[in-house]
Amino acid sequence: MSPAPAWVKALKPASPHGADLLAQERAKSTLDVERLANFLFTKEELERQQRVLEVLQADKTFDKSQNYFDGRVDRFKTALARSKRLQRLTIEKKWSWEDFMVANGLISEPGPYGLHATMFLTTLRDQGTPEQHRLFLERAENYKIIGCYAQTELGHGSNVRGLETTATWCPEDKTFEMHSPSLTASKWWIGSLGRTANHAVVMAQLIIAGKVYGPHPFVVHIRDLKTHEPLEGVHVGDIGPKFGYK
């Protein structure tokens, strides 16, 4: 494409335009915007947002100028890079959980580690025993394992009591057998499961000696940590883009 001639570069927006009109309306207000902002968010929180924002703006990884020019595969790679960079910044800057969540909000787009941070870690931390914390939580917090939250099924969304996936206690070897007995029992629309996660918190109906005890969470290893291939008896796939996500 040839460069724009000088007469095109000299063109200016018609006046008054949107920015001028907005400035005029704001000038009529007697509202103290800074005072209102401090009341709604607190001065401490606004300072936290500004501090975190400056870090993100200085990092080219979070530049969104090419978002709408990339295809789905490239956008996934970019999202993965941003998620990894966010985790590294959290360590480098010694950010708190609140700092991390502010950064995540400012980035304002779903990432491959989103459910790992908000659902997988939260479930392990709040519902796990000290032994389970040592086995799963410590590795998950250090991103040595990546998890997701597998509750929704093809036939069951928020109807948790209707979940079909089962976890049957096997007293002989003291294990649980996870089973999807029908097509509608397939875990579906699970963020991060299609490509990224190697573990999952799976919500399943607990069965002991033939008695159903209702839905319980189970940590399930789904992919090999070296090859990233699904383990025997596990089938996972990418169902494509979700409506509502660009």
Side-chain angles (χ1 to χ4, degrees):
M1 181 181 295
S2 59
W7 63 269
V8 172
K9 294 180 180 179
L11 292 173
K12 303 295 182 183
S15 185
H17 53 82
D20 292 333
L21 294 172
L22 185 59
Q24 291 171 16
E25 292 302 316
R26 285 176 171 169
K28 297 176 185 178
S29 174
T30 58
L31 183 67
D32 188 329
V33 176
E34 183 177 354
R35 183 179 177 186
L36 177 62
N38 288 335
F39 174 76
L40 292 174
F41 305 106
T42 74
K43 184 178 180 180
E44 179 185 15
E45 187 62 22
L46 291 172
E47 290 175 348
R48 183 202 305 274
Q49 288 186 14
Q50 185 59 35
R51 172 170 50 82
V52 172
L53 178 61
E54 290 174 359
V55 173
L56 298 178
Q57 287 177 324
D59 196 310
K60 292 182 180 180
T61 309
F62 303 105
D63 176 15
K64 296 184 179 182
S65 62
Q66 298 303 306
N67 272 18
Y68 290 96
F69 296 92
D70 289 339
R72 184 167 182 258
V73 173
D74 287 333
R75 294 197 68 177
F76 174 77
K77 291 179 180 178
T78 299
L80 186 61
R82 287 173 182 164
S83 295
K84 291 173 68 176
R85 183 59 183 147
L86 176 58
Q87 175 58 20
R88 288 169 179 164
L89 281 173
T90 301
I91 297 172
E92 292 171 13
K93 303 296 182 180
K94 295 182 172 57
W95 280 348
S96 65
W97 173 252
E98 289 77 14
D99 294 333
F100 172 85
M101 291 305 294
V102 165
N104 195 54
L106 290 170
I107 294 170
S108 188
E109 60 183 20
Y113 297 160
L115 285 181
H116 175 84
T118 59
M119 293 298 293
F120 188 70
L121 287 178
T122 301
T123 304
L124 292 177
R125 188 178 296 118
D126 294 349
Q127 300 189 45
T129 65
E131 182 181 1
Q132 291 167 337
H133 284 179
R134 290 191 295 272
L135 185 60
F136 300 114
L137 181 60
E138 292 177 7
R139 291 191 295 160
E141 287 180 329
N142 291 310
Y143 283 69
K144 293 182 178 180
I145 61 173
I146 303 297
C148 61
Y149 185 79
Q151 175 174 294
T152 303
E153 296 177 355
L154 185 58
H156 308 276
S158 33
N159 177 21
V160 182
R161 292 183 63 183
L163 295 178
E164 296 180 53
T165 301
T166 61
T168 303
W169 173 247
C170 303
E172 298 80 15
D173 56 4
K174 296 183 179 180
T175 61
F176 288 97
E177 180 183 84
M178 309 299 296
H179 182 45
S180 300
S182 67
L183 178 64
T184 47
S186 304
K187 294 300 181 182
W188 207 258
W189 295 292
I190 308 302
S192 302
L193 180 60
R195 293 172 178 265
T196 310
N198 46 49
H199 283 70
V201 167
V202 177
M203 292 298 295
Q205 301 285 356
L206 172 61
I207 301 176
I208 301 177
K211 182 178 179 180
V212 179
Y213 287 85
H216 285 67
F218 295 84
V219 178
V220 180
H221 189 178
I222 57 176
R223 283 188 172 96
D224 186 278
L225 294 182
K226 293 183 178 179
T227 67
H228 204 58
E229 291 296 321
L231 299 179
E232 184 179 356
V234 177
H235 176 70
V236 292
D238 185 350
I239 64 172
K242 286 185 177 181
F243 287 106
Y245 287 124
K246 298 295 185 181

